[in-house]
Amino acid sequence: MAPSPRPRARLRPPGMLPRALPALLLLLLLGAVPGVWCFSELFFINEPQDVTVTRKDSVSLDCHAHGDVPIKVTWLKNGAKVSENKRIQVLSNGSLYISEVESKRGEQSDEGFYQCLAMNKYGAILSQKAHLTLSTISAFEVQPVSTEVHEGGVARFACKISSNPPAVITWELNRTTLPIAVDRITALPAGVLQIYDVGQKDAGNYRCVAATVSHRRKSMEASLTVIPAKESHPFHTPAIIAGPQNITTSLHQTVVLECMATGNPKPIISWSRLDHKSIDVFNTRVLGNGNLMISDVRLQHAGVYVCRATTPGTRNFTVAMATLTVLAPPSFVEWPESLTRPRAGTARFVCQAEGIPSPRMSWLKNGRKIHSNGRIKMYNSKLVINQIIPEDDAIYQCVAENSQGSVLSRARLTVVMSEDRPSAPYNVHAETMSSSAILLAWERPLYNSDKVIAYSVHYMKAEGLNNEEYQVVIGNDTTHYIIDDLEPASNYTFYIVAYMPMGASQMSDHVTQNTLENVPLRPPEISLTSRSPTDILISWLPIPAKYRRGQVVLYRLSFRLSTESAIQVLELPGTVHEYLLEGLKPDSIYLVRISAATRVGLGEASVWTSHRTPKATSVRAPKSPELHLEPLNCTTISVKWQQDAEDTAAIQGYKLFYKEEGQQEHGPVLLDASHLLYTLSGLDPRRKYHVRLLAYSNVEDGYQADQTVSTPGCVSVRDRMVPPPPPPHHLYAKANTSSSILLHWRRPAFTTAQMINYTIRCNPVGLQNASLVLYLQTSETHMLVQGLEPNTKYELAVRLHVDQLASPWSPVVYHSTLPEAPAGPPVGVKVTLIEDSTALVSWKPPDGPETVVTRYTILYASRKAWIAGEWQVLHREGAITMALLENLVAGNVYIVKISASNEVGEGPFSNSVELAVLPKEASGSNQRPKRLDSADARAYPGYYHLDQKSMTGIAIGVGIALTCILICVLILIYRSKARKSSASKTAQNGTQQLPRTGASLAGGGEVGKSLEGAVGNEDSSVPMIAPSSFIDAKGGTDLIINSYGPIIKNNSKKKWLFFQDSKKTKVEQPQRRFSPAVCFYQPGTTVLISDEDSSGRPGQITSFPRPFGAAADTEHSANSEGSHETGDSGRFSHESSDEIHLSSVMSSTPPTSHSFPGSDSGGGPAVSQCEEPTGPSGAEPTSSAVPQPPSTTLCFDRNEFPI
């Protein structure tokens, strides 16, 4: 007799210790190991996030980890370590900084998935993935189409474009922004323009404009022609001209379900859900004239939405439906917890996550992926480590990932060391108790059995590889245990481990035992078809192993007429899967059900399934199709069928009906004759559905096929059942041509002797019509998918079929077919000469919206080089439509042509364009640089640009020049006033006596008055000089020339030459008369007074009185101005000016000491006073009425100005 089961503690879920024992074990372990409490958790404060940037922009990905220092941060891109360089750097705070984002193909592209790895002395953790993408925009996938609309009708235009980030689409009418503030015009975010109550003012050309942060595209124009309305408006039923489309979106996005209907009178549009749930009124509103907009989309918004257009006041209506699928990123519902385990013990981490699509689960150890082996096993969401070793002490992370993102959760395993371990339990044996229970018994360890505080029972299924292992912990007071949650008719393997406070024993020997059978848990799914009006073919699928609970030995069929209560029963062997009922009544409804039995007994029977036999006259009607139903998930069923190849009837299409058990039937859904697939969405989980399909011709409906199917339960944490086979993994796609993609994948790691088949699903991204999805079958792990559209992005997935089970679809891989080679050359090629040796060539992409260009090739050559076949080649990226042709030689004619190419091939070259580069002399003989006026600037925009620095320099130079001019003007004005106040000059002979001095003074006064009058004449603008007098106007010297030759100036260095003895300077000059000299003086001009009759001899010292050295100033002013052309410094020397001034009044006898000027102040005119020189005089006297050059006498006026 089996021992009575003892109270036990079980893992719920498996892997959890009983409440008392875990606390006791943990307390003992932690109390005996110092330092366990000191662990400082390592975690991320900031993790990198998805980001979209423009090429050449900078970007920073954040990563901030917290824990015991030091913490080392490294970065991974697509799983490989990121190498730092001048462009990519890891900042001191752990963030990754990229100064210029590159978009080149291959390894140089910065696009990809980035993760940061933080490590300290306890282990390492990996951050979530951040997707770095570049801003892109495609060509328009859908262009607006021209249309004709009756006045008062409705018009609709549509365009579609793919971009990242999503583009904002606006519309233009006749290339002017279209106002959409009116109620009758609605622009949907997806690129649809709706116009109600069309009038003549709406006629014109429409186009859509798609804009992102860095791109802007315009579609082709489509015309709207408005036809005058008819006088009568006949009644017609409502029709939906643009119904809602199936949409797949992410959380928190905004979606619009379009519904546009016509009719007379105008129909009323309403919305509802197919599952009869209420529509969220807080996040939903009607956009325009019947479009449904849902903002901040959430999971509860998913479902089938029905648009209904109804004629007011009647029951005339039509409907259109679409499915809204909401994708959600993974989120944890159960997190792994940190564990402390002894050496040789077992650690179990449990992690559960949910999301749409279902997330893929994986595990990391110190940031690296874990692979299953004999000691470490992973079961979907669990990680089990048996026979723990010291190297297992690490930080473990659970990773949940789907197409919407990834999340990670961490836990640490601390390994406690102990050498004094008990030996393993022995003599383990098992005994079957029932279809779900097995009794397990063992003997205590032979060594250190008194130190055992608990036993751990481990068990798993014996068939297959990588089966999930379960664990139950019980006390040390028993050596047997009953496991009663096993599956019927299954083999299990068991082993025992003994625990002590500081460690665990080795595993005991393994023992295998099987459970008994039980009745089937559910009946088979049934299918009914008719081959003639008097028969029904009943077929069914084998029951899945997890519901069979043993070997099926027989099937029991029950059927009856719907109008009768008598039931007929047939029993068939368990190896039969179809049966033909014959001799039935035509055009009658029969009810059929089935049940299965094992050796234990019969299971539950299915519900009654109805089927109508064909009419007796329907001998030429289409035969029933071969129907196959498959649940894709808990709310979706795939309906596939195949028409009989021997059927000769002309099939016009198919009618599909479906209903939930006990509910009203939906349909018919009309499908084209070419359709062999349909997807039913928005169903309820754990429900049985009845699907009916028939073909119809232009004469009558054909034979129908009936089949039932049950939707599975939506997998949750608490009712997760035995998982289906794992899906294929490591999908890899490569485009071979513009119409084919080669797909590779790997077989999942499990063992089976049966045949494995694969189903490949292929459809364009964003496909709305599920009937266009391509399904292919193969038994290989690769397949060439053919017949695809060029330059189209496809999503591909693979699923596995084995033992009547189907795995989930593998992760979707996206790949684009190659574009076709450009069929035409670039258009609009223009070449413009922008400089003497540089030309700008521009062009437009080849015609055709589907043409993809990745590179342009520019060929150019002079005519001589062209004849020799020597071309110069330039390449530009596909986004660039201009290039510079440099180093052109003047006088040549250049030939330019361009071609477009992509990775498939190169297109034809454009027609040649000629450019004549004229020689520089062609513009004129003057070789000075061309001066651009405003007209030139307009003719050659961008030829010369004056930047801000140039303008600032010009302004400063002009300011300095104006300041210098103003200073010069002030100096001249000042000297002119001083000149007016000076006394008249008097020319005296060196030997003249004192009595003659007064006469000379009188004469000098007259001359001074004459000069003063000349100075006062403000109307004179040009100095008048006697014809016999000349001045050196080149600005290089202070030379003055009269009719007798140059006037020799004394050495300027001898500033005080007049102090020399008069004997040393012999002055011999004949008496001569001065002709009247006229001088009109103005400030800043040179005044010369000379005698045209005087003669000069070599060595003669001749000086002319000049008013205040004005001539010298003017001479130097000319030098300063002329320096701009000659390159001289142009600096003015006051010292040399003074020297000239003194030399002009030089004498051989020095004046008295009190005659020297003390200051140079200007004043009014005053009488000059002269003193007699002390030296002898030898000069001849001259007439007092005629001024002569001074020789021996130096005179000063009262203001001490030399005269």
Side-chain angles (χ1 to χ4, degrees), residues 209-506:
V209 180
T212 64
V213 177
S214 56
H215 299 88
R216 182 180 177 88
R217 292 283 176 89
K218 296 179 180 180
S219 71
M220 295 189 300
E221 292 187 341
S223 62
L224 172 60
T225 305
V226 181
I227 304 174
K230 299 179 181 179
E231 295 181 358
S232 60
H233 299 280
F235 170 84
H236 65 84
T237 57
I240 297 177
I241 61 174
Q245 302 294 321
N246 294 338
I247 296 178
T248 299
T249 186
S250 302
L251 285 176
H252 310 300
Q253 300 297 315
T254 298
V255 298
V256 177
L257 297 172
E258 183 184 9
C259 190
M260 195 175 186
T262 60
N264 188 31
K266 182 179 179 180
I268 298 173
I269 296 178
S270 60
W271 287 89
S272 62
R273 288 178 59 117
L274 189 63
D275 55 9
H276 308 296
K277 294 180 180 179
S278 60
I279 294 180
D280 182 9
V281 296
F282 297 102
N283 298 88
T284 305
R285 67 183 182 92
V286 176
L287 183 65
N289 288 270
N291 308 292
L292 185 67
M293 185 174 75
I294 306 174
S295 58
D296 191 17
V297 171
R298 301 179 183 178
L299 290 176
Q300 58 264 31
H301 292 138
V304 179
Y305 289 80
V306 181
C307 168
R308 175 169 175 163
T310 307
T311 303
T314 69
R315 293 185 178 180
N316 295 324
F317 69 91
T318 184
V319 297
M321 293 180 290
T323 301
L324 174 61
T325 303
V326 180
L327 304 180
S331 60
F332 287 112
V333 295
E334 187 173 358
W335 295 262
E337 297 181 357
S338 295
L339 301 174
T340 299
R341 292 289 182 267
R343 181 177 180 178
T346 298
R348 181 185 298 269
F349 294 100
V350 181
C351 178
Q352 298 282 354
E354 58 186 12
I356 301 176
S358 297
R360 303 180 300 275
M361 309 295 294
S362 59
W363 289 88
L364 305 176
K365 175 185 177 182
N366 286 338
R368 296 185 178 183
K369 192 170 184 179
I370 299 175
H371 299 283
S372 295
N373 54 40
R375 195 173 57 84
I376 300 175
K377 296 181 180 180
M378 291 177 290
Y379 319 100
N380 292 331
S381 60
K382 297 182 180 67
L383 173 66
V384 179
I385 305 174
N386 296 310
Q387 293 298 301
I388 293 173
I389 60 178
E391 288 75 15
D392 295 328
D393 192 316
I395 299 177
Y396 294 83
Q397 287 179 282
C398 171
V399 183
E401 185 177 9
N402 66 5
S403 60
Q404 301 300 298
S406 62
V407 290
L408 297 93
S409 182
R410 71 200 173 279
R412 188 184 176 209
L413 172 61
T414 303
V415 179
V416 180
M417 305 299 293
S418 175
E419 297 299 334
D420 192 15
R421 297 184 295 166
S423 59
Y426 68 101
N427 194 20
V428 180
H429 57 277
E431 181 181 349
T432 302
M433 306 293 296
S434 67
S435 62
S436 61
I438 291 178
L439 171 64
L440 191 66
W442 63 92
E443 298 290 340
R444 294 180 182 274
L446 297 175
Y447 175 73
N448 279 342
S449 61
D450 55 332
K451 296 182 180 180
V452 173
I453 61 172
Y455 292 100
S456 175
V457 178
H458 301 255
Y459 62 98
M460 63 181 132
K461 278 192 173 182
E463 291 88 0
L465 181 65
N466 203 31
N467 289 318
E468 183 170 2
E469 182 179 289
Y470 300 94
Q471 177 184 9
V472 178
V473 177
I474 59 176
N476 64 350
D477 56 344
T478 183
T479 57
H480 60 270
Y481 182 72
I482 295 178
I483 300 102
D484 60 358
D485 57 353
L486 307 177
E487 293 183 9
S490 300
N491 288 331
Y492 285 88
T493 299
F494 306 87
Y495 68 89
I496 313 295
V497 175
Y499 281 88
M500 60 179 294
M502 293 303 298
S505 70
Q506 296 286 344

Side-chain angles (χ1 to χ4, degrees), residues 831-881:
V831 185
T832 306
L833 188 66
I834 60 174
E835 289 184 0
D836 292 339
S837 62
T838 304
L840 175 68
V841 57
S842 62
W843 62 90
K844 295 181 180 179
D847 293 332
E850 300 298 330
T851 303
V852 174
V853 178
T854 58
R855 190 179 72 168
Y856 290 100
T857 302
I858 303 101
L859 299 182
Y860 69 100
S862 63
R863 282 187 175 176
K864 295 180 181 178
W866 171 66
I867 294 174
E870 298 175 354
W871 291 94
Q872 299 188 54
V873 183
L874 292 179
H875 296 291
R876 293 294 181 268
E877 294 182 2
I880 300 174
T881 57

Side-chain angles (χ1 to χ4, degrees), residues 530-607:
S530 292
R531 299 181 178 178
S532 69
T534 59
D535 64 28
I536 297 177
L537 177 63
I538 307 172
S539 58
W540 57 91
L541 296 175
I543 303 175
K546 61 181 179 180
Y547 304 119
R548 191 166 54 240
R549 303 207 292 187
Q551 182 180 0
V552 176
V553 294
L554 69 84
Y555 293 99
R556 176 175 291 178
L557 285 177
S558 303
F559 66 96
R560 64 179 177 90
L561 276 169
S562 61
T563 57
E564 299 178 358
S565 58
I567 299 175
Q568 301 184 49
V569 178
L570 295 172
E571 290 188 353
L572 304 171
T575 56
V576 175
H577 294 94
E578 66 176 21
Y579 186 79
L580 180 64
L581 293 177
E582 297 179 304
L584 306 180
K585 296 181 180 179
D587 195 20
S588 300
I589 297 176
Y590 282 84
L591 302 178
V592 181
R593 69 181 181 186
I594 189 173
S595 60
T598 62
R599 298 183 183 89
V600 180
L602 280 169
E604 181 183 1
S606 65
V607 297

Side-chain angles (χ1 to χ4, degrees), residues 34 123 398 565 631 802 901 1064 1139:
C398 171
S565 58
V802 59
S901 63
K1064 296 180 180 180
E1139 294 169 0

Side-chain angles (χ1 to χ4, degrees), residues 815-834:
H815 202 77
S816 298
T817 53
L818 298 177
E820 293 181 326
V827 297
V829 180
K830 297 180 181 179
V831 185
T832 306
L833 188 66
I834 60 174

